[in-house]
Structure formats: structure tokens, C-alpha cells
Amino acid sequence: MNKEMDYPEKGLHEECGLVGIYAPADYPVARDVYYGLYALQHRGQESCGIVVNRDGIFHTKKDLGQVSQVFSEEELSHLPDGSMAVGHVRYGTTGANNRNNCQPMEVNHQKGKMALAHNGNISNAYELRQELELSGAIFHSTSDTEIIAYIVTRERLQKPSIEEAVLAAMQSLEGAYSIAVMSAAKLIIARDPHGFRPLCYGQKEDGTYVAASETCALEAVGARFIRDVEPGELIVFSDRGVRSFRDYCGTKKRATCIFEYIYFARPDSVIDGISVHAARLKAGEILARNYPVIADVVVGVPDSGLDAALGYSRYSGIPYGIGFIKNKYIGRTFISPSASERTSGVRIKLNPLRETVEGKRVVLVDDSIVRGTTSKRIVHLLREAGAKEIHVRISSPPFISPCYYGTDIDKKENLVACQYSLTEIAEMIGADSLGYLPFDSLSELVGHDGFCHACFSGEYATRVPEVTSKERFEQPLSQMDLS
């Protein structure tokens, strides 16, 4: 059997990351947000932004590009000291990559200002946007974040406080959302009742509170971790201190995204009390237990395959080796090579270390296989470097369903595991053997079963949206009412 895979790989992409700062007095909040966003750069590389609140006046810088590209020392110096700030790095799972979709999003309304940053994906966004447009709302972006902003603003015009407006808005929202909302006087953070996406907060020695998508961002700014935000919880930071509203806590089954532990989060982060590094080591151990093989060296695909490879090595007793050198200066904006140059494109990003693999039986550990084309190229690189055998081990179960909660997982017809058997996939990518993490072992990674596994099972925590395309709000001329 010789199955060709010449179409481009639709790889996995991160969702978004957010940072919020509430300080007891004006200080360089933008610089802390900058450091926090740098720590969360792995969660999104399309765009980024910072909004600083100084005496109720918002000062903003946001644009397409990574943190280091958008924020030079000069750009940071143009943002004043302030008492609050919110920041965001984006990979959009709803809406195109353009400046209008950059976050944080800002709203000026009758009762004041608001800046909002969002990580996740609103699964009922299409219905909500239709409802809002029919009531007269005019949208300037194609992101579901603007839908959240509209609903919060609508509620704010009726409610006595911004926190009550956000609580009321949460009744309308379905799907995944960890958000930071900054008003003129308060910083609010909230997490959806399922807890799909992570959110936590901590405090610096000077009393400044820091909220972020991952604990690694707290550490980057010198904040001590206090706790995770509970699913369904809303927390307010203001001159009245820290207040928690738990109206929606326990109303839904917890469904934290399991792929945060397998791929998305940084290995030095801790999510809901579980070490990401420890979860990935456990994944490698489970793979070694279920798919043992006689081999000479275990190597991981940087970066998210490294910890699982170490776990495989420790359990199996097969030596761990550095199999690839990764070019750390190439981001997601690297120009994609043409069809005839794709293997060269992989080589520019990853180059095998010949002395580790030449003449050896290699266990290659990676986090996932989507379409299989990238795996095929990586296996080919190891063959060229002289590997005698290549046994591929994947630290997640096979993808069989798309995700509607903020992970850019492709349609069923483009997922290789939906089309071919394990043996066929191994042959397609050129591996001597292939093993995936068993689905029924996922709970071993985190020690409980309160996680979302829809991409591996097709079992969703919310209703499946009727319209699912990422570009569903980019309407072509042919579909517009031009009457």
C-alpha cells in the first residue's frame, strides 16, 4: 500500500493567552504584562496587545505579530504607568488573522470603558451574533470575543456594576471562555462553568495582583501563585479587595481540555493543581507500558514531545537522546515552502542529530498526528540521518473529531485516524511501528476524569454548533444581501 499525502499539513495551533494586572498604585504595569505575554507566547503567535488603565483613561498598543515584534523598548515606553492593564496573545479559532481581530478588544459605552481579553471559543457564537445583529449591533471584527463584549455591554446598561453584567452575560455564553475584563475601576476575571481553558492568579510582594492563563506567566513577573480560578467562578479585583462570585460553580461537569496537558501548556506550568511536566512524563510511561519495543535510543520531537520521550525512556530503560536540533528563531509566521520544498521546510525548523540516531533503532515520541504529512517528513529526516528502525509513539489518542472549544483541530475528513488503520498510518508515515496513547488511560495523566476528550471520543460537553467554520463571519459578496 502506498498512500500519497501531498497536501499541506494542517497542524495543531494554540488558542490564546491572557494576562491581567491590578496594582495598588500606578507603576509600570505594561512591562509586567509584556513579560507575562512573553511567557505565554506559545499559546498564540498571530497577534498581541496591551491596554493600560491610567486614571480611567485607556492607552493601547496592539498589532499583528509576536510579542517581540509588536513591542519594542520604544513602544513599551509609550505606554504609561497605571494601576491596571490587560494583555493578550492570539491564535484565532474564530475569525481571520487581521488587525480588527487583535485583542484586547475595547468598548466605550454610556457607563464607561471596557477592555476584554478572551481565551477559548464560544460554541454558540453564530446564533448570538445573528441575534445581536438583528437588534441593531454593528460588528467591527469577525472574532467571537466581540460577541462577548457586546453581551457584557448590553448587560452593563441594565446592571448596577460591571461584575454583575459579566455574571449575567455568562448565562448566554456556551463553550470555552477564560476572560479578563478591565473597566475604569476594576479588573474582573472569569472562567466558564466547564473550566475548558486554564486561568489562575497570584500576587507580587508589593501587593500587585496578576491573573494569567498559566502559572508560568505568574513566575515570569515574580508573582506568587495563589490559586486557580474555579470553573464558573468570577473574581473582582478593586479598591474593595478581592471578591469571588461562585454563581455558576458546580452547575456543569468539569471539562478541562486534556490537550492542555499533552500539548498546549508550557511544561513548567501547573493547571488545576496538576503539573504539566508530570502529566507528560506519565504519558511517556504509559506508552512504554503499552507499546514496548527493542530499541537503542528514545528521542522526542521538540518541544511538546520531549517530556513524554523522557518518560518513555525512564520506564523502558532505553537511553534518552537528543534527536533533533530546533531552530528557535522560526515562528509561526515563517514563510511556508512550496510543495516541492516541504521537506526542506521541516529541515529548516528541525534537523536530526546524526550521531544520536545513525545505525540505531529509534523510538520517536511526538504529541499527535493530524494529517500525517509532518510525521512522514520527520521520519524521513531520521532515515536520511541513518536510523535503522523508527518506532513512532504518540502521547495522545488518535484525533477522530473536531474541537469547538478553542483548539484548531481539523474536520473529520482531514484527520488521518478517521480514514486509515494503525498499520496503514504507520506505513504512510514510513514508521516500522506506531502506537498511540490508549484513550482509556487519559485519566492517569491528571488523576481524575473531569476533562474534555471530545477530539478523541466525539463526546462533547455542550451541544455541537450548527455552523462551525473558523471563517463563518467572513461573508463573501455572493452571500450578502445587496438589496
Side-chain angles (χ1 to χ4, degrees):
M1 186 182 302
N2 182 21
K3 295 186 169 56
E4 296 297 329
M5 296 177 295
D6 291 333
Y7 41 80
E9 173 76 282
K10 168 94 167 142
L12 291 173
H13 294 283
E14 296 80 351
E15 323 89 348
C16 299
L18 61 86
V19 177
I21 304 281
Y22 183 89
D26 284 352
Y27 97 142
V29 286
R31 194 163 292 273
D32 270 5
V33 174
Y34 169 82
Y35 292 139
L37 293 181
Y38 225 113
L40 297 175
Q41 186 72 88
H42 60 285
R43 298 188 70 86
Q45 298 88 36
E46 285 187 354
S47 65
C48 60
I50 298 174
V51 180
V52 173
N53 181 343
R54 181 178 175 87
D55 298 326
I57 305 299
F58 287 7
H59 303 263
T60 305
K61 171 63 180 177
K62 56 184 179 179
D63 208 340
L64 300 177
Q66 299 180 20
V67 176
S68 61
Q69 296 168 325
V70 174
F71 292 101
S72 63
E73 182 65 39
E74 181 181 4
E75 291 287 356
L76 269 179
S77 67
H78 289 162
L79 291 172
D81 291 357
S83 59
M84 281 183 279
V86 290
H88 188 266
V89 290
R90 179 179 191 264
Y91 173 78
T93 51
T94 298
N97 181 25
N98 59 49
R99 285 180 172 81
N100 288 338
N101 288 333
C102 295
Q103 297 187 42
M105 289 195 169
E106 296 174 73
V107 177
N108 294 316
H109 57 84
Q110 191 180 49
K111 290 190 176 181
K113 296 177 178 289
M114 178 181 74
L116 186 148
H118 165 223
N119 169 211
N121 197 60
I122 304 303
S123 55
N124 64 334
Y126 187 79
E127 300 97 297
L128 290 174
R129 179 159 171 156
Q130 282 189 316
E131 173 195 328
L132 289 164
E133 288 180 329
L134 289 172
S135 67
I138 299 173
F139 285 84
H140 301 282
S141 78
T142 54
S143 167
D144 57 346
T145 303
E146 190 175 11
I147 296 169
I148 302 175
Y150 256 113
I151 294 175
V152 172
T153 301
R154 182 181 66 183
E155 296 292 345
R156 180 66 183 97
L157 297 177
Q158 307 297 324
K159 304 295 182 184
S161 68
I162 182 65
E163 56 266 36
E164 290 179 75
V166 177
L167 280 170
M170 290 171 70
Q171 289 184 315
S172 302
L173 303 175
E174 294 180 12
Y177 56 90
S178 288
I179 57 175
V181 179
M182 182 174 70
S183 70
K186 299 171 183 175
L187 176 68
I188 295 167
I189 57 175
R191 192 176 179 192
D192 71 77
H194 291 286
F196 284 109
R197 298 294 159 206
L199 188 61
C200 62
Y201 77 96
Q203 189 173 28
K204 300 180 67 170
E205 289 185 358
D206 62 5
T208 298
Y209 285 101
V210 183
S213 293
E214 293 184 35
T215 57
C216 65
L218 303 183
E219 294 166 0
V221 301
R224 174 183 57 85
F225 170 78
I226 294 178
R227 67 178 178 88
D228 294 285
V229 180
E230 290 295 315
E233 184 180 19
L234 179 148
I235 297 174
V236 183
F237 303 92
S238 70
D239 57 9
R240 295 175 57 186
V242 181
R243 291 173 292 144
S244 170
F245 296 81
R246 304 174 63 85
D247 300 43
Y248 304 109
C249 291
T251 60
K252 304 286 185 182
K253 181 181 178 182
R254 179 186 284 266
T256 306
C257 174
I258 192 65
F259 218 60
E260 290 282 354
Y261 297 97
I262 294 169
Y263 175 77
F264 287 130
R266 251 177 50 168
D268 53 333
S269 287
V270 176
I271 298 174
D272 293 331
I274 307 297
S275 161
V276 175
H277 172 67
R280 291 178 186 171
L281 287 176
K282 175 62 72 172
E285 174 189 322
I286 295 168
L287 281 171
R289 198 167 70 222
N290 284 272
Y291 293 97
V293 67
I294 298 173
D296 304 304
V297 65
V298 179
V299 302
V301 178
D303 289 310
S304 52
L306 299 178
D307 297 50
L310 183 59
Y312 193 105
S313 171
R314 288 179 176 176
Y315 185 87
S316 67
I318 302 170
Y320 174 84
I322 297 174
F324 295 93
I325 302 300
K326 181 180 179 181
N327 188 334
K328 296 184 180 297
Y329 299 97
I330 295 178
R332 297 283 186 184
T333 53
F334 174 68
I335 299 171
S336 298
S338 64
S340 62
E341 297 173 326
R342 284 180 193 140
T343 300
S344 297
V346 173
R347 193 191 303 276
I348 291 170
K349 295 183 180 183
L350 285 179
N351 201 42
L353 199 59
R354 180 176 289 272
E355 63 189 75
T356 299
V357 302
E358 187 171 24
K360 295 179 181 176
R361 298 164 295 183
V362 178
V363 177
L364 174 67
V365 182
D366 203 356
D367 58 79
S368 60
I369 298 177
V370 185
R371 285 186 167 180
T373 48
T374 295
S375 298
K376 180 179 180 180
R377 293 173 204 138
I378 291 172
V379 169
H380 178 71
L381 291 179
L382 288 179
R383 295 283 187 201
E384 284 191 328
K388 187 166 62 175
E389 295 177 13
I390 302 171
H391 302 276
V392 176
R393 300 294 180 261
I394 303 299
S395 61
S396 65
F399 287 125
I400 63 168
S401 297
C403 174
Y404 306 119
Y405 308 122
T407 303
D408 199 10
I409 295 174
D410 216 333
K411 300 174 183 178
K412 273 181 173 286
E413 56 264 32
N414 293 328
L415 298 174
V416 70
C418 292
Q419 310 301 323
Y420 305 109
S421 69
L422 192 72
T423 302
E424 289 173 329
I425 297 170
E427 183 179 341
M428 291 167 70
I429 65 175
D432 292 281
S433 70
L434 172 64
Y436 286 93
L437 189 80
F439 173 79
D440 59 7
S441 68
L442 282 173
S443 59
E444 288 189 57
L445 303 188
V446 292
H448 59 78
D449 61 359
F451 54 85
C452 178
H453 48 68
C455 54
F456 305 128
S457 66
E459 300 172 7
Y460 295 96
T462 67
R463 62 190 178 96
V464 175
E466 294 180 10
V467 182
T468 61
S469 167
K470 175 182 174 180
E471 289 80 24
R472 57 193 177 274
F473 301 135
E474 271 91 31
Q475 192 176 30
L477 187 65
S478 60
Q479 296 179 13
M480 294 182 183
D481 183 358
L482 301 177
S483 58

